[in-house]
Amino acid sequence: MTLIRFENLHLAYGPTPLLKEADLVIEEGEKLALLGRNGAGKSSLLKLVAGEIHSDDGHIWRKPELKIGTLPQVLPAADERTVYQVVAEGLAEAGALLEEFHRLTHQAEHVDLKRLEQLQHQLEAIDGWNLQKRVEQMLKRLQLDANTLMASLSGGWRRRVALAKALVSEPDLLLLDEPTNHLDIDTIQWLEEQIKQFPGAVMLITHDRAFMQAVATRMIELDLGQITSWEGRYLEFLDWKQHQLEIEARHQAEFDRRLAQEETWIRQGIKARRTRNEGRVRALKAMRQERAARLKRQGKAEIQIESADRSGKLVAELTDVSVDYGEKPIIQHLNMSVMRGDRIGLLGRNGAGKTTLLKLLLGELSPTNGQVKIGTKLEVAYFDQLRAGLDPDKNVLDNLAEGRTSVTINGQQKHVMGYLQDFLFTPERARQPVRALSGGEQNRLLLARLFAQPSNLLVMDEPTNDLDLETLELLEERLAEYPGTLLLVSHDRAFLDNVVTSIVAFEGQGKIREYVGGYEDWIRQGGRFPALSAPQSDTVSATSSHQAKAAETAPSRKKLSYKYQRELDQLPAQIEQQEAEIAAQEAIVGDPGFYSRPTEEVTVELAKLTDLQNALETLMERWLELEAMTEGS
């Protein structure tokens, strides 16, 4: 059964059309992946499907009473709402009644019985008890506790809540916009299974090729204003697409040859003017118009990496290193050597300690126990997934050049404008302020800045977010050619397989193991994450647990003064609160429309995020300091 049909749609923001006489049909139960370069109009097409915007021309038909659920790219806020409240919002007005009924029936005292009776009548009138059962079944299916506060949940669990909210209305069509962004691999695999089991149709935008290959069964490509449909999996589509591009190139070459012949004929002078055919002249004019109207494909980014002199043979060596935050083991008894030329992927759940290990390897953090030896002649280039290194008030050129007219790439001088064109920035776009760029363009600018720095140690934290697939594949090629040492944090399984030669996996309770190969090799060698349990509202808090364990072990530790002990006891709760605030602020900064806000707002929010992160570092350093004071001396 057809759910949606688009016919001859036209949509344009400016002179270049995003859609030009485009057609699309979505059938019941289909799993569609929407492909296209950054700026091609994928998000706009998703909004057209959702009914959030309208086309300039054409016809849109939707199945009567069509239900559409949306899983947005931005996570739900880490606020004081309960999980039940957020999920019930997916049922609109009925959800509000159910949430109020749930809250009243779970109050320990002072229950408003009169209001409870009113709610019962209202819910009976709208079949509310079946809706309540639906909410409870959804919570159970996704292993969510109804009374847990959103502020206490990690990003992965908030993604589960968002999915429950989208699914609770039992939509006919589910729209997913970059659903894997900032999720760890374990949560991505869980999400894959949920999407596979969903009985309705799914339309998604993602840069995660492994996720797309596992979930989508039809590819929808938006290119040059046209929508092309192909039945099959992503890897099969790539072969078909390459064949289509070769055919198109031959056709265009033949067209250009005929156009050149006609241009030569029209310029032959008096003899041609006496004998020329007016129909042929009209045909030539039509060819000129067709050539002028042909939308040129966006070129491929030409990424080159500037290399520094070689570092010492040893980059970093960790001997029996342990790092604890209070009673929580982050790294336990780790022995690890990083040698020049190693290509290491750091793999683990969000919050497992990947950033902590990076700081140890870079000499930015001292361990609780053990020794860290840092190599010589290191020149580090660091990719920041939060784009904190970009000034939104400056244009692209100034963010890269900082007053220079050229950059040095592999020993050769290159003009900054030409270098930016290698990263698909036209001269006009290079003079635009950074706040006007899309997320993908900002990532390309960060890569341009990063690779213009001489380096022999490249540290990349989630570099694939918001990149289109062609640029992502080119980045893989260049990283494979990079002669220095690479430390990579990524949840993109295909990217890890194509780039790294070893995996350092965080397997729980501070246990870290190194495996030869990429992600698939880690799986084949028995690698796995520890079982993940759902956060419960009635469980003992982490702070209380830490304090209880500290009390048990106190006799074997040096006793602190009352003032210091009180400060140490309070730190776990302060750190947890700080992490929750950072997560909420990262969600604000990660919003696709964030950099389109007024400049002063962008500056304030970025500064707030930096202040929160600095405050967290201060709290953790103080925690380690007080913990060290408790050791016997």
Side-chain angles (χ1 to χ4, degrees), residues 246-477:
E246 291 171 358
I247 294 174
E248 181 181 334
R250 289 198 296 269
H251 287 171
Q252 288 189 355
E254 175 62 21
F255 176 90
D256 292 343
R257 184 187 65 80
R258 289 191 292 108
L259 176 60
Q261 288 177 342
E262 295 302 293
E263 292 288 2
T264 300
W265 169 77
I266 199 70
R267 291 179 175 83
Q268 284 179 348
I270 289 293
K271 180 180 178 182
R273 285 198 294 273
R274 284 198 300 263
T275 62
R276 68 185 176 190
N277 183 300
E278 290 301 322
R280 192 173 177 181
V281 173
R282 288 194 296 272
L284 173 59
K285 289 181 180 179
M287 291 177 71
R288 287 173 174 172
Q289 291 172 355
E290 181 180 344
R291 181 65 182 84
R294 184 195 297 170
L295 295 173
K296 293 184 179 179
R297 295 186 183 277
Q298 186 182 25
K300 288 189 177 181
E302 296 290 338
I303 298 176
Q304 293 181 314
I305 305 175
E306 170 66 351
S307 300
D309 294 335
R310 298 208 312 175
S311 66
K313 186 175 181 180
L314 177 70
V315 174
E317 184 176 45
L318 278 58
T319 305
D320 197 29
V321 165
S322 296
V323 176
D324 300 324
Y325 290 149
E327 298 298 321
K328 181 180 180 181
I330 302 298
I331 297 172
Q332 291 293 298
H333 306 293
L334 175 62
N335 293 288
M336 175 182 176
S337 295
V338 179
M339 309 303 291
R340 182 178 64 220
D342 281 353
R343 320 176 69 75
I344 300 174
L346 275 60
L347 189 63
R349 288 198 177 103
N350 289 335
K354 299 186 293 295
T355 301
T356 299
L357 180 55
L358 282 179
K359 290 184 176 181
L360 286 170
L361 294 173
L362 296 176
E364 298 177 0
L365 179 67
S366 298
T368 307
N369 295 299
Q371 295 182 339
V372 177
K373 181 179 179 181
I374 305 300
T376 59
K377 300 181 181 179
L378 294 179
E379 293 192 46
V380 181
Y382 196 101
F383 180 92
D384 177 14
Q385 63 166 316
L386 295 178
R387 309 179 187 124
L390 299 179
D391 186 338
D393 295 327
K394 293 182 179 179
N395 61 28
V396 172
L397 189 63
D398 290 339
N399 264 280
L400 172 73
E402 297 177 342
R404 297 174 295 170
T405 59
S406 63
V407 294
T408 303
I409 303 296
N410 295 329
Q412 296 183 348
Q413 293 287 318
K414 191 162 190 175
H415 194 277
V416 290
M417 194 63 78
Y419 180 66
L420 281 172
Q421 288 179 332
D422 289 344
F423 287 81
L424 307 182
F425 289 103
T426 63
E428 295 78 14
R429 202 62 177 161
R431 293 182 174 86
Q432 292 288 317
V434 165
R435 64 174 177 272
L437 303 182
S438 68
E441 288 175 318
Q442 290 182 31
N443 261 18
R444 286 211 306 270
L445 177 56
L446 276 176
L447 291 173
R449 279 171 47 115
L450 180 77
F451 295 151
Q453 301 175 31
S455 70
N456 50 39
L457 175 57
L458 192 56
V459 182
M460 307 195 79
D461 186 2
E462 290 291 346
T464 65
N465 287 339
D466 298 318
L467 291 182
D468 60 58
L469 291 171
E470 287 184 315
T471 305
L472 178 59
E473 290 169 357
L474 183 61
L475 176 60
E476 288 177 348
E477 293 176 12

Side-chain angles (χ1 to χ4, degrees), residues 122-139:
Q122 288 177 286
L123 288 169
E124 286 172 359
I126 60 171
D127 195 25
W129 305 123
N130 282 332
L131 295 176
Q132 181 189 39
K133 184 178 180 181
R134 192 188 298 176
V135 173
E136 292 170 351
Q137 288 175 338
M138 186 59 61
L139 293 172

